[in-house]
Amino acid sequence: MAAEVLAQAGVAVHLFDAMPSVGRKFLLAGKGGLNLTHSEPLAPFAERYGVRQAQVAPWLTAFGGPEIRAWAQGLGVETFVGTSGRVFPADMKAAPLLRAWLQRLRGQGVAFHMRHRWLGWAGDGALRFQSPAGEVRVPARATVLALGGGSWSRLGSDGAWVPLLAERGIAIAPLRPANCGFDVLCAQAPAGETRRAFLQELLGQSPAPAVGWTPHFAQRFAGQPFKTVALSFTDSQGRAFHRRGEFVATATGVEGSLVYAVSHLLRDEIEAHGHATFHLDLLPDHTPERVLVEVRHPRGSRSLSSHLKGRLGLDGIKAGVLYEHLGKDGMNDPVALAQAIKALPITVVASRPLDEAISTAGGVALEALDAHLMATAVPGVFCAGEMLDWEAPTGGYLLTASMASGRVAGEGALRWLRRSGD
């Protein structure tokens, strides 16, 4: 996006990428359907960026959802609004849009240099790159860095730029996983765990929590979705979340759209207190009173599993997670069972590794940049995209802010060049 702004203004632009081809994470985002942006109005759109909404809102004002749709149309790609308000290309694919975009950029004179990994700056200020032909140095009148966060490193965003910028005095917040999965605290400790914990306590050691589902649950349900559920969470600061949706059980925990939506709150709570507990409503269309009536209904000779399936439609992974947390005795307590169906506590104790996350929080502090995204410590150097310290949920918000910040950085670089007389 920065290259496009500069090339349209007649500036000679060279784009360097460490990978063999550009746009690899863009293509990954299109796997299963490219969610370009969202159709909601600007005010609620900006709220998706949490504590950074004040800084991100101006980017979106200049280049938000409507502008992205018009930009795609200019590349010959029509878009549509899905039932959730998300915006997609008509064919749902990322590759045709990327091809058209690159063709236009090349037609505007942008030169692409693949397999050039940025190594920082030389003593004279030139950019250093490791290339197939060895190290090369490139003088630049203005530089836009769009180096990604720290997730999906195999696509190029490995966070290796952090020390390079830090040593130049650019403030950087630690990279953390965002839109990520979590490991759960095992609800049923293995036999002997209590005695082991007691001995560790005597020795002054803190026993590590048992992490993950029980082997029985993991073997049966890992990879299966929890559908039509509601997740509620309130953190220790009083920030509350409640939403319906679905997510997936993994071998050790949970991931998926509903979990991603609350992941920033869960992550922060774990960092502060070592764990976070959310509550899961397995039957959000049923009142607690109705659930209790149905659970207490005489079942005759039917098994409890058959009874729950017949009266409440509870089976599969939903019944499995109830057994996981309540055990046999709890399942046979109607009040405890009814309460668990409507508010099942699930404790998570760790985010999944950074490289597994869809995106990252942290990065270049926005306070280290001016309104044009130029680093105040290194004039003429601009930063954009996921390497900046902001985060957002999935739903088109990540891509929109990345593209919008690229335009801001490109316009800032153009302003810098004109002010410098170049």
Side-chain angles (χ1 to χ4, degrees):
M1 296 304 292
E4 188 166 75
V5 169
L6 290 159
Q8 287 173 347
V11 176
V13 180
H14 292 262
L15 191 151
F16 298 85
D17 197 305
M19 306 304 288
S21 59
V22 298
R24 292 198 167 197
K25 199 167 185 182
F26 185 80
L27 292 173
L28 178 69
K31 187 177 180 181
L34 178 65
N35 181 195
L36 266 176
T37 186
H38 203 285
S39 62
E40 67 186 358
L42 178 61
F45 202 125
E47 290 176 0
R48 305 293 186 176
Y49 300 90
V51 297
R52 288 303 194 185
Q53 62 179 295
Q55 292 95 339
V56 175
W59 311 348
L60 306 177
T61 300
F63 195 76
E67 290 76 19
I68 285 181
R69 297 189 71 183
W71 169 83
Q73 187 177 41
L75 288 168
V77 176
E78 297 296 328
T79 59
F80 73 95
V81 180
T83 55
S84 64
R86 300 182 181 195
V87 176
F88 301 88
D91 62 3
M92 300 291 287
K93 298 177 180 178
L97 178 58
L98 182 60
R99 282 196 299 269
W101 191 7
L102 295 179
Q103 182 178 3
R104 185 166 74 182
L105 288 171
R106 290 188 175 100
Q108 293 169 340
V110 176
F112 289 82
H113 306 269
M114 297 297 99
R115 295 186 173 89
H116 279 64
R117 178 170 294 278
W118 184 57
L119 301 176
W121 290 274
D124 61 358
L127 300 168
R128 298 172 54 222
F129 293 95
Q130 182 63 46
S131 77
E135 183 173 327
V136 297
R137 298 188 178 188
V138 180
R141 294 175 292 162
T143 301
V144 177
L145 301 175
L147 302 170
S151 63
W152 293 85
S153 59
R154 66 180 180 274
L155 301 180
S157 55
D158 56 9
W161 52 267
V162 170
L164 300 177
L165 270 62
E167 65 187 18
R168 296 296 293 266
I170 299 174
I172 298 171
L175 296 178
R176 300 184 293 162
N179 293 294
C180 58
F182 295 87
D183 291 334
V184 300
L185 180 68
C186 187
Q188 299 177 25
E193 193 66 30
T194 302
R195 182 172 181 272
R196 185 180 300 112
F198 174 72
L199 292 174
Q200 287 177 316
E201 186 175 349
L202 285 178
L203 295 172
Q205 301 173 350
S206 298
V211 175
W213 305 109
T214 60
H216 174 75
F217 183 89
Q219 289 166 9
R220 289 195 63 190
F221 299 112
Q224 293 192 25
F226 286 94
K227 293 187 175 182
T228 318
V229 295
L231 189 154
S232 300
F233 176 67
T234 301
D235 69 8
S236 54
Q237 299 180 42
R239 296 183 296 177
F241 175 93
H242 178 81
R243 188 176 302 177
R244 290 177 58 146
E246 61 182 70
F247 65 94
V248 175
T250 66
T252 60
V254 293
E255 67 177 19
S257 58
L258 188 56
V259 171
Y260 298 155
V262 71
S263 61
H264 64 295
L265 296 179
L266 297 176
R267 179 200 64 214
D268 292 352
E269 189 75 0
I270 291 170
E271 290 178 354
H273 301 286
H275 61 86
T277 299
F278 63 82
H279 288 84
L280 196 60
D281 185 345
L282 298 173
L283 295 174
D285 293 325
H286 291 54
T287 65
E289 293 77 15
R290 179 185 170 187
V291 170
L292 182 57
V293 167
E294 297 295 353
V295 168
R296 280 178 164 169
H297 191 279
R299 57 187 173 96
S301 61
R302 290 198 304 175
S303 67
L304 180 57
S305 296
S306 297
H307 179 69
L308 292 176
K309 181 177 181 180
R311 303 298 303 185
L312 292 168
L314 275 174
D315 62 352
I317 193 171
K318 289 185 176 182
V321 78
L322 288 169
Y323 277 101
E324 176 83 354
H325 281 262
L326 293 175
K328 185 176 181 180
D329 291 342
M331 291 295 290
N332 286 311
D333 180 337
V335 174
L337 177 56
Q339 289 175 343
I341 290 171
K342 292 298 293 178
L344 182 69
I346 295 181
T347 298
V348 291
V349 292
S351 305
R352 293 298 300 162
L354 180 64
D355 198 43
E356 293 181 15
I358 289 179
S359 59
T360 50
V364 176
L366 295 181
E367 293 76 12
L369 309 173
D370 68 12
H372 307 285
L373 299 182
M374 184 176 75
T376 54
V378 191
V381 173
F382 300 78
C383 300
E386 199 181 332
M387 70 183 293
L388 302 180
D389 182 20
W390 60 272
E391 62 178 311
T394 57
Y397 307 106
L398 293 166
L399 195 51
T400 298
S402 291
M403 297 174 80
S405 67
R407 291 192 68 87
V408 172
E411 289 163 358
L414 181 61
R415 177 177 174 273
W416 169 262
L417 291 172
R418 287 172 173 170
R419 193 177 69 177
S420 303
D422 292 329

